[in-house]
Amino acid sequence: MPPREVPRRFFRLPALALLGAALLACAPAPTAVREGEVGVSAAGGVQAAFSDDGVAWVVGGRACVARVPGFRAECPRLAPASGMAHVSGVAWQGGDAWAALPGPGLVVTLDRAPRTVSAGAVRLLSSARIYREDGSTLTYGGERGRGVAGEPQAAVTGGDGREYVVLGRELRRVDDGAVLDRAAQPFLYATPIGAASAALPTASDGLSLYRLTGSALERFSAGQVVARVPHGPGQVGLVRGEVVTVDASGRVRRFSLALEALD
């Protein structure tokens, strides 16, 4: 296994601060919170990652996870997780929810068995790769993976299991460098055959698109909006046949594929 890279500034931290960060990362102590109490400020924005195991998110540097079936939020006591400046701070991999901690340069699990990867300056997390600010990548086992030349703005593991990024204005497939779109939008989402970009937070089940406009959650199918419910800004994904959202206060909401509320 090649050595893990840690930025030089990490070694200049005082010894006690370094030890504290490591202990926090390796032994998270989850704190249960009620719905609506996990957020900080709506101005801080929200980042989220979805899988069949649930949803993980970061608001104002605070990382949380809510697993199926109860979607009860757990927010471990950790150093601040990546904020909006780092684009994406949470991901799912192999049933584990992960968050990036930019201060100590670590990527850690949020619950279940404690695991830590020394990753340095992290830019993005997908469900299969840790993307660093120089475009290089690591797996969640700490091994080097194929990266890109430059700083990607978005990354996702597609429905085909391959990696996709937005680099500049281009949507690229990572493993072969193929440019799939030269006018990519800022939000990436997985499709059954790969990935696509959108101007709004979007999820796809292969038949319909589910998107947050800032004032509504919409289902878009056959070229038109077929359902709409009021909803503020946030992120949207699919969890075991349900549409799940997280807003900028950290509130988790669940809907059927027809956008009927399930809460």
Side-chain angles (χ1 to χ4, degrees):
M1 181 184 299
R4 297 171 181 171
E5 297 180 8
V6 181
R8 294 183 180 274
R9 66 177 183 276
F10 183 67
F11 294 102
R12 294 198 293 266
L13 288 170
L16 288 177
L18 174 58
L19 177 61
L23 289 174
L24 284 171
C26 295
T31 299
V33 293
R34 295 190 300 273
E35 184 179 88
E37 293 183 341
V38 296
V40 184
S41 168
V46 57
Q47 304 156 10
F50 304 83
S51 82
D52 283 344
D53 295 288
V55 56
W57 68 94
V58 173
V59 175
R62 190 182 188 192
C64 300
V65 58
R67 290 184 176 272
V68 296
F71 288 90
R72 183 172 182 265
E74 302 281 345
C75 303
R77 301 182 187 278
L78 295 171
S82 292
M84 293 305 290
H86 289 78
V87 180
S88 181
V90 286
W92 288 85
Q93 202 278 330
D96 286 323
W98 294 80
L101 309 181
L106 302 173
V107 178
V108 304
T109 51
L110 293 177
D111 63 349
R112 305 204 319 174
R115 297 172 59 193
T116 303
V117 178
S118 295
V122 174
R123 172 69 174 171
L124 299 163
L125 301 179
S126 74
S127 64
R129 292 288 186 271
I130 299 166
Y131 288 81
R132 296 186 286 192
E133 289 185 354
D134 62 359
S136 64
T137 71
L138 296 172
T139 69
Y140 288 88
E143 296 86 9
R144 292 181 185 272
R146 186 180 181 92
V148 295
E151 186 174 295
Q153 290 79 52
V156 71
T157 304
D160 57 357
R162 303 169 83 173
E163 291 292 294
Y164 296 84
V165 299
V166 173
L167 189 64
R169 288 297 307 278
E170 296 179 342
L171 170 59
R172 296 188 184 186
R173 191 167 53 224
V174 174
D175 60 358
D176 60 4
V179 177
L180 307 178
D181 186 351
R182 297 189 182 278
Q185 300 294 315
F187 294 96
L188 273 182
Y189 63 95
T191 70
I193 60 172
S197 69
L200 299 167
T202 300
S204 170
D205 65 359
L207 298 175
S208 300
L209 298 180
Y210 300 89
R211 60 192 187 187
L212 287 171
T213 67
S215 61
L217 170 62
E218 295 180 340
R219 178 186 176 196
F220 189 81
S221 184
Q224 61 183 346
V225 175
V226 295
R228 178 188 289 115
V229 294
H231 198 295
Q235 298 288 344
V236 59
L238 297 172
V239 180
R240 297 192 183 185
E242 296 180 2
V243 181
V244 177
T245 65
V246 184
D247 68 20
S249 73
R251 181 188 178 192
V252 177
R253 297 173 64 184
R254 299 162 51 214
F255 303 85
S256 71
L257 295 181
L259 298 192
E260 299 165 331
L262 300 176
D263 298 324

